[in-house]
Amino acid sequence: MGRTESPVDFSIRDRGVLANYLRAHRKGANITFEELAKRTGLSSATLKRAASGKKTPTQPVVKAFLLGCGGDSQDVELGEIAWRRARRAERGRSDGRSPVPPLISTRGELSRALVNLYEGEGAPPLRVVQERAGSQWLALSSASRIINRQTLPATLEQMAAFLRGCCVPERRHGPWLDAWARVVTPAIHDDSGASPAVPILQPQMRRWMRLRNAVMHGDLREFTQVATPDPYKANEMFREWSSEGGEKARMKMWDQLLLESFATLSREPLSELRAYLPSA
């Protein structure tokens, strides 16, 4: 097995835990670093550094190391959890003290929570965050300003994009989007007597914000899918409006958004408000 390895560096505990985890897998596979290098395509020096505890390796190196030692998907998943903890501890930028999304009530709390979210994911390169989020929604400059606490997401869609970039599952987006709406845009309260300090973003308001973002980005497909929950009708609307040309489609989107604005703010049914819209 070659020379005896130096003791793991535990100056940063979580980084040392990751190194120990990698060493245990190499020991279990009973292979040398040279053999592991052949299996992974990485240099022996890179693999030795990864298992030293002196510096957190990259996520791809951790994955390759474990697979090269015969690890399965569960081994890799546990290794990536250890990697994220090591990265967070090494960077030292996450205080871990931000409130959970339903309790966020200020811009500062939301900003700190988003930074902790990013750091908790292992602070991946911003290009990786952008690829996960969708470049049309999250520019590199915007992502950089968000994680450096210089700004908050400018739109609901950009907030959702940042969440995707940090691997937050879609089913967990709701409380985060509500938190963004509470501190960035005027919120609509429900009728249940909820505390004004923690207003609730109504589904109708969330729907309106998606429509508004679709109009601003000229996204007819998104607009029709939100405006009409029936997939068949949404597809029909998309085909009809897109066939009329870009300018006329944009005017129809703006007209519909105007109606939706009144319905959202006044809570009047859309069917009653259509009478006020000039016929095309």
Side-chain angles (χ1 to χ4, degrees), residues 222-256:
E222 168 74 2
F223 187 91
T224 54
Q225 288 176 345
V226 176
T228 308
D230 184 320
Y232 176 78
K233 291 182 178 178
N235 195 45
E236 286 291 306
M237 181 188 292
F238 175 78
R239 284 209 304 264
E240 178 187 341
W241 287 18
S242 58
S243 68
E244 295 177 351
E247 187 59 34
K248 193 163 186 179
R250 278 192 291 273
M251 290 302 298
K252 285 194 170 186
M253 290 168 68
W254 277 108
D255 288 342
Q256 179 72 16

Side-chain angles (χ1 to χ4, degrees), residues 56-135:
T56 304
T58 65
Q59 191 173 13
V61 167
V62 171
K63 183 176 181 179
F65 193 114
L66 295 171
L67 292 177
C69 293
D72 57 21
S73 59
Q74 186 176 14
D75 295 324
V76 172
E77 183 179 353
L78 292 174
E80 289 180 339
I81 291 173
W83 173 80
R84 286 192 288 270
R85 290 174 177 168
R87 277 281 291 170
R88 183 170 62 239
E90 183 178 64
R91 285 169 60 84
R93 295 188 59 193
S94 173
D95 57 24
R97 292 179 293 183
S98 56
V100 294
L103 300 182
I104 291 173
S105 59
T106 69
R107 295 176 69 92
E109 287 176 346
L110 179 58
S111 179
R112 188 163 68 251
L114 292 178
V115 171
N116 287 342
L117 195 65
Y118 170 76
E119 294 292 331
E121 185 53 28
L126 292 184
R127 288 202 177 276
V128 173
V129 174
Q130 186 187 51
E131 287 172 7
R132 295 171 180 169
S135 58

Side-chain angles (χ1 to χ4, degrees), residues 4 30 41 75 104 115 125 163 174 196 221 251 261 276:
T4 302
N30 193 34
D75 295 324
I104 291 173
V115 171
L163 296 176
R221 175 68 74 181
M251 290 302 298
S261 301
Y276 297 96

Side-chain angles (χ1 to χ4, degrees), residues 124-261:
L126 292 184
R127 288 202 177 276
V128 173
V129 174
Q130 186 187 51
E131 287 172 7
R132 295 171 180 169
S135 58
Q136 70 270 36
W137 294 116
L138 187 65
L140 289 176
S141 57
S142 298
S144 176
R145 286 168 58 79
I146 291 169
I147 66 170
N148 285 297
R149 302 197 63 183
Q150 296 171 342
T151 191
L152 290 172
T155 66
L156 192 71
E157 286 298 337
Q158 192 177 75
M159 177 68 178
F162 185 82
L163 296 176
R164 289 195 301 272
C166 293
C167 293
V168 177
E170 293 283 342
R171 66 181 183 277
R172 291 176 48 204
H173 281 201
W176 284 101
L177 298 179
D178 288 348
W180 177 87
R182 277 199 298 277
V183 303
V184 177
T185 67
I188 292 181
H189 295 257
D190 67 359
D191 299 319
S192 64
S195 167
V198 190
I200 298 174
L201 180 65
Q202 294 289 331
Q204 189 177 14
M205 184 62 168
R206 190 182 298 166
R207 177 175 181 273
W208 177 87
M209 294 174 79
R210 289 183 64 190
L211 289 170
R212 180 201 64 183
N213 289 334
V215 171
M216 298 302 292
H217 289 277
D219 190 340
L220 180 58
R221 175 68 74 181
E222 168 74 2
F223 187 91
T224 54
Q225 288 176 345
V226 176
T228 308
D230 184 320
Y232 176 78
K233 291 182 178 178
N235 195 45
E236 286 291 306
M237 181 188 292
F238 175 78
R239 284 209 304 264
E240 178 187 341
W241 287 18
S242 58
S243 68
E244 295 177 351
E247 187 59 34
K248 193 163 186 179
R250 278 192 291 273
M251 290 302 298
K252 285 194 170 186
M253 290 168 68
W254 277 108
D255 288 342
Q256 179 72 16
L257 182 64
L258 180 61
L259 280 176
E260 294 280 353
S261 301

